[in-house]
Amino acid sequence: MKIGVLEPEDFSVKAIEKLSTVGVVVVYTGGNVSVFLKDLDVLFIRLGYFIDSNFLQYSKKLKFLCSPTTGHNHIDLKYLNDKNIELVSLRGEREFLNTIRATPEHTFGLILSLIRNYKAAFIHVGLGRWDRDSLKGSELYGKNVGIIGMGRVGMLIAQYCRLFGSKISYF
């Protein structure tokens, strides 16, 4: 079995070692992607490519497409179905996903950055100035926060905002 890793940056060394026990692992390092795709049975992707018929036309042997994502908007699902290529992703892996906090923490950080006016403050300081009064932000405490989508990420954002004393509304 030939296993390809299309986007190897930060790909787990342990995962490559485990995959090597079931097949030959090749890592894309640039060059002609069609040559890389040619003989793969399994392809690991991330979000750097749109995986559609134009991209996969060179993958005549592909049986599995693996994406460490919950969203599939970067993949032509109809094409995979038509070619009997199985998609392996994190969609529906609730127990595991509940241990991953990167996206909600990043989102919460952006909320704090916006409400506290960090971007303007960083730029201001970068220019060698500091006028505290012109850079005042606001607080989450007592604010109404609206969340669109109350899935896994939305629930955690609501939890974080409540801890800061916000009132939550959601759709």
Side-chain angles (χ1 to χ4, degrees), residues 61 65 70 85 90-91 99 101 106 112 114 124 134 171:
K61 296 175 54 183
L65 181 69
T70 55
I85 299 170
L90 295 176
R91 183 173 281 177
T99 69
R101 301 296 174 105
H106 177 70
L112 287 176
L114 287 170
H124 197 73
S134 72
F171 177 80

Side-chain angles (χ1 to χ4, degrees), residues 43 51-59 62 79-80 85:
L43 177 61
I51 309 301
D52 64 358
S53 60
N54 291 327
F55 188 85
L56 290 177
Q57 66 182 325
Y58 308 105
S59 301
L62 196 64
Y79 180 81
L80 294 186
I85 299 170

Side-chain angles (χ1 to χ4, degrees), residues 14-52:
K14 283 184 180 179
I16 289 176
E17 289 171 0
K18 286 194 181 229
L19 290 169
S20 295
T21 65
V22 294
V24 175
V25 177
V26 292
V27 175
Y28 182 65
T29 56
N32 190 338
V33 74
S34 62
V35 172
F36 174 76
L37 296 171
K38 188 174 185 224
D39 295 321
L40 297 178
D41 299 290
V42 179
L43 177 61
F44 282 82
I45 63 164
R46 291 192 178 173
L47 296 169
Y49 295 85
F50 182 69
I51 309 301
D52 64 358

Side-chain angles (χ1 to χ4, degrees), residues 70 94 97-98 100-101 103-104 150-157:
T70 55
R94 291 249 178 234
L97 289 171
N98 285 334
I100 306 298
R101 301 296 174 105
T103 301
M150 205 55 141
R152 178 182 68 88
V153 172
M155 294 290 280
L156 288 168
I157 295 299

